[in-house]
């Protein structure tokens, strides 16, 4: 085969359902032999924040933001029918009953398949997030030029 | 249809049968046939599409009851 085809996904949203859609497409793309890059920006950063410990950031407003908007794959909510956690809990149960991997498992799977998960540097700057806010599977921060250069060479580009 | 290897994907939804197929096919020798047993109907469209993209050969589908069997022949490198 000639050069591998590329799939680039911008993950802007930080909800469970949208994260699921992004990871299903990313892992399928990798299974199809594509080179996959996921750029996480704004609320999407919550998906790849580490689950344990606190998020360190400087300044009162950023501290407040990262306290209220803690993130982490285990804290994601549904975009609809969250219902104070009941809806999300039920959806997670249904996913488990259907043998669907959790977001955590999807992240590990994606990493193993060579999917690159990149946090957007501008969002990180604004929100006061450093590399240590993220899980170990995540690549180093990059910006819009990196994304556009990837997207330019991609057969498929998605914004979720 | 005769197969050299079988992959059980019963009870799994998209994308897991495809992900597992991609993983499994690495273990096969070129020309060997992999049988994938599944019950998610999507596989009937997904597997030919996966084959078209990866260059492996899609041999066909067999259905009995709710069980769907699809056959893939590994390509030459």
């Amino acid at each position: 085969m000639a050069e591998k085809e590329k799939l680039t996904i911008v993950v802007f949203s930080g909800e469970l359902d949208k994260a699921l859609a992004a990871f299903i497409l990313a892992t399928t793309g990798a299974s199809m032999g594509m080179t996959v890059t996921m750029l996480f920006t704004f609320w999407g950063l919550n998906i790849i924040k580490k689950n344990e410990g606190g998020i360190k950031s400087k300044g009162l407003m950023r501290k407040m933001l990262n306290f209220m908007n803690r993130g982490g794959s285990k804290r994601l909510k549904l975009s609809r029918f969250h219902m104070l956690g009941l809806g999300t809990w039920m959806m997670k149960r249904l996913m488990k009953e259907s043998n669907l991997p959790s977001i955590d498992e999807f992240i590990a799977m994606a990493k193993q398949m060579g999917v690159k998960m990149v946090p957007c540097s501008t969002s990180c700057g604004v929100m006061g997030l450093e590399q240590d806010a993220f899980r170990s599977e995540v690549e180093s921060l990059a910006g819009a030029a990196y994304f556009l250069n990837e997207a330019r060479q991609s057969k498929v580009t998605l914004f979720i | 249809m005769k197969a050299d290897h079988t992959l059980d994907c019963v009870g799994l939804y998209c994308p897991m049968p495809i992900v597992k197929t991609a993983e499994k096919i690495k273990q096969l020798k070129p020309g060997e046939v992999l049988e994938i047993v599944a019950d998610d109907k999507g596989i009937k469209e997904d597997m030919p599409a996966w084959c078209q993209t990866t260059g492996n050969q899609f041999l066909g589908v067999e259905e009995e009851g709710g069980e769907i069997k699809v056959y893939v022949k590994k390509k030459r490198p």
Side-chain angles (χ1 to χ4, degrees):
Chain A
M1 199 163 62
E3 208 178 321
K4 281 173 117 188
E5 290 177 340
K6 280 193 176 186
L7 162 64
T8 310
I9 306 175
V10 181
V11 187
F12 183 91
S13 314
E15 287 105 349
L16 177 70
D17 37 10
K18 294 179 187 178
L20 191 63
F23 277 106
I24 286 177
L25 291 170
T27 51
T28 305
S31 296
M32 294 175 98
M34 301 176 92
T35 302
V36 185
T37 304
M38 303 173 87
L39 187 84
F40 292 84
T41 188
F42 230 92
W43 308 117
L45 290 170
N46 280 350
I47 300 165
I48 51 169
K49 280 182 188 168
K50 59 185 182 190
N51 283 307
E52 306 79 23
I55 301 286
K56 279 182 231 124
S57 46
K58 293 192 182 87
L60 181 64
M61 282 199 289
R62 289 191 172 111
K63 278 197 170 76
M64 268 167 58
L65 175 68
N66 289 314
F67 178 73
M68 294 170 69
N69 181 44
R70 171 61 181 81
S73 62
K74 293 193 162 71
R75 294 187 185 83
L76 307 178
K77 300 169 181 172
L78 280 178
S79 60
R80 298 190 60 197
F81 297 122
H82 177 60
M83 298 189 292
L84 300 170
L86 184 67
T88 298
W89 177 78
M90 283 171 67
M91 182 59 79
K92 281 185 178 173
R93 259 196 75 160
L94 290 176
M95 280 168 58
K96 201 166 188 175
E97 273 175 27
S98 310
N99 296 315
L100 212 61
S102 65
I103 297 297
D104 242 14
E105 290 165 334
F106 261 120
I107 292 175
M109 228 163 76
K111 177 70 183 179
Q112 202 216 330
M113 299 169 91
V115 174
K116 278 167 96 182
M117 292 168 269
V118 182
C120 158
S121 56
T122 304
S123 299
C124 289
V126 173
M127 295 178 157
L129 298 168
E130 306 273 353
Q131 191 81 37
D132 64 5
F134 301 108
R135 325 164 53 103
S136 59
E137 291 95 336
V138 167
E139 313 283 328
S140 41
L141 313 187
Y146 171 84
F147 164 71
L148 286 176
N149 188 45
E150 290 291 317
R152 203 168 56 83
Q153 306 165 40
S154 294
K155 276 260 166 80
V156 184
T157 308
L158 302 168
F159 187 97
I160 297 178
Chain B
M1 207 177 294
K2 268 189 77 175
D4 303 293
H5 302 265
T6 297
L7 180 66
D8 182 11
C9 292
V10 174
L12 300 179
Y13 289 102
C14 163
M16 295 316 294
I18 291 291
V19 169
K20 282 180 172 283
T21 301
E23 191 58 38
K24 179 79 182 176
I25 205 129
K26 287 181 197 158
Q27 299 165 13
L28 269 69
K29 296 186 191 82
E32 284 191 320
V33 175
L34 177 64
E35 172 189 64
I36 301 110
V37 187
D39 56 358
D40 176 14
K41 291 186 180 63
I43 197 160
K44 290 192 277 184
E45 301 295 333
D46 278 358
M47 199 55 76
W50 180 80
C51 287
Q52 196 176 44
T53 308
T54 56
N56 294 294
Q57 192 187 350
F58 181 73
L59 298 177
V61 189
E62 284 175 14
E63 277 190 81
E64 14 178 298
E67 220 163 64
I68 303 160
K69 290 176 178 173
V70 294
Y71 297 88
V72 175
K73 189 174 183 177
K74 181 164 177 170
K75 66 173 174 185
R76 313 235 160 249

